[in-house]
Amino acid sequence: MATKNETPEQRFASLCKALTLLKSEDEIRRFLIDLCTPGEIKDFGERWLIARLLAAGDMSYREISAETGASTTTVGRVARFLEQEPHQGYKAILERLK
Amino acid sequence: MATKNETPEQRFASLCKALTLLKSEDEIRRFLIDLCTPGEIKDFGERWLIARLLAAGDMSYREISAETGASTTTVGRVARFLEQEPHQGYKAILERLK
């Protein structure tokens, strides 16, 4: 189940696989609270809000920065992952939430 | 779908809800790569490996630290969440992986 010689890539693959086993919002919440620091959880919530506000399309980077408290650098970084990076992980889930 | 006035708690709840919509290991991988920095992904993979090694029960904190490259403070923190905190998020998933 765990091998101490796992590479960082294998560790991440194991984590992604583990997350597929979590079925409810409450299970996911409890797992993330164990896995992440409070600061990380705050950052992820902020980035996810920024992604949703960007996808809604009616606010500028500066407005989103002012409203969320995130820096415009953070807003720009989320926008890059939303629009330009090949993973399309934000996009997939935002499409599903429509 | 997104409200700029969301509290940190509401942002986190929205993120947890979004994660329930991801069905495959590949979807989860792509979402986490969009959401997290490379450093965060490395840290999470490390913590998750530590949790699995602790659950296996045949290595000391010091051995786990030496083998994974994590500090003993990190190993102790993962152990605390695994054993003592009330969320039991690690435990739930480790039970399911047995």
Side-chain angles (χ1 to χ4, degrees), chain A residues 1 6 9 14 18 21 27 29-30 34-35 40 44 47-48 52 81 87 89-90 93 96, chain B residues 1 6 9 14 18 21 27 29-30 34-35 40 44 47-48 52 81 87 89-90 93-94 96:
Chain A
M1 194 170 111
E6 282 177 21
E9 181 49 39
S14 171
L21 300 175
E27 283 185 346
R29 169 188 299 270
R30 289 188 288 120
D34 275 358
L35 183 70
E40 287 162 349
F44 295 153
R47 292 176 205 159
W48 175 235
R52 288 176 292 142
F81 278 95
H87 327 292
Y90 279 141
I93 203 162
R96 215 164 291 173
Chain B
M1 193 169 111
E6 283 177 20
E9 181 49 41
S14 171
L21 299 175
E27 283 185 347
R29 167 188 300 270
R30 288 188 290 121
D34 275 358
L35 183 70
E40 287 162 350
F44 296 153
R47 292 176 205 158
W48 175 235
R52 288 177 290 143
F81 278 94
H87 326 291
Y90 280 140
I93 203 162
L94 286 163
R96 215 162 292 173

Side-chain angles (χ1 to χ4, degrees), chain A:
Chain A
M1 194 170 111
T3 312
K4 58 191 182 184
N5 297 321
E6 282 177 21
T7 63
E9 181 49 39
Q10 287 171 323
R11 297 174 186 186
F12 182 48
S14 171
L15 179 65
C16 292
K17 193 179 183 67
L19 283 165
T20 65
L21 300 175
L22 296 172
K23 300 306 180 197
S24 71
E25 188 179 325
D26 184 58
E27 283 185 346
I28 288 171
R29 169 188 299 270
R30 289 188 288 120
F31 185 73
L32 291 182
I33 290 174
D34 275 358
L35 183 70
C36 305
T37 67
E40 287 162 349
I41 284 176
K42 182 173 167 294
D43 288 347
F44 295 153
E46 184 177 275
R47 292 176 205 159
W48 175 235
L49 174 59
I50 292 166
R52 288 176 292 142
L53 292 172
L54 286 167
D58 52 2
M59 288 172 75
S60 69
Y61 285 20
R62 206 174 343 175
E63 287 170 325
I64 292 173
S65 165
E67 293 290 347
T68 60
S71 67
T72 51
T73 306
T74 298
V75 177
R77 185 178 178 281
V78 173
R80 178 162 61 80
F81 278 95
L82 184 62
E83 297 298 342
Q84 295 168 25
E85 295 284 337
H87 327 292
Q88 298 292 302
Y90 279 141
K91 272 270 170 69
I93 203 162
L94 287 163
E95 285 294 319
R96 215 164 291 173
L97 280 169
K98 272 184 186 165

Side-chain angles (χ1 to χ4, degrees), chain B residues 6-93:
Chain B
E6 283 177 20
T7 63
E9 181 49 41
Q10 287 171 322
R11 297 174 186 186
F12 183 48
S14 171
L15 179 65
C16 293
K17 193 180 183 67
L19 283 165
T20 64
L21 299 175
L22 296 173
K23 298 308 178 193
S24 70
E25 188 180 324
D26 184 58
E27 283 185 347
I28 287 171
R29 167 188 300 270
R30 288 188 290 121
F31 186 73
L32 291 182
I33 289 175
D34 275 358
L35 183 70
C36 306
T37 67
E40 287 162 350
I41 284 176
K42 181 172 168 294
D43 288 348
F44 296 153
E46 183 177 275
R47 292 176 205 158
W48 175 235
L49 174 60
I50 292 167
R52 288 177 290 143
L53 291 172
L54 286 167
D58 52 2
M59 288 172 75
S60 70
Y61 285 20
R62 205 170 348 170
E63 287 170 326
I64 292 174
S65 166
E67 293 289 348
T68 61
S71 67
T72 51
T73 305
T74 297
V75 177
R77 184 177 179 282
V78 173
R80 178 163 60 81
F81 278 94
L82 184 63
E83 297 297 342
Q84 295 168 26
E85 296 284 336
H87 326 291
Q88 299 291 301
Y90 280 140
K91 271 269 169 69
I93 203 162

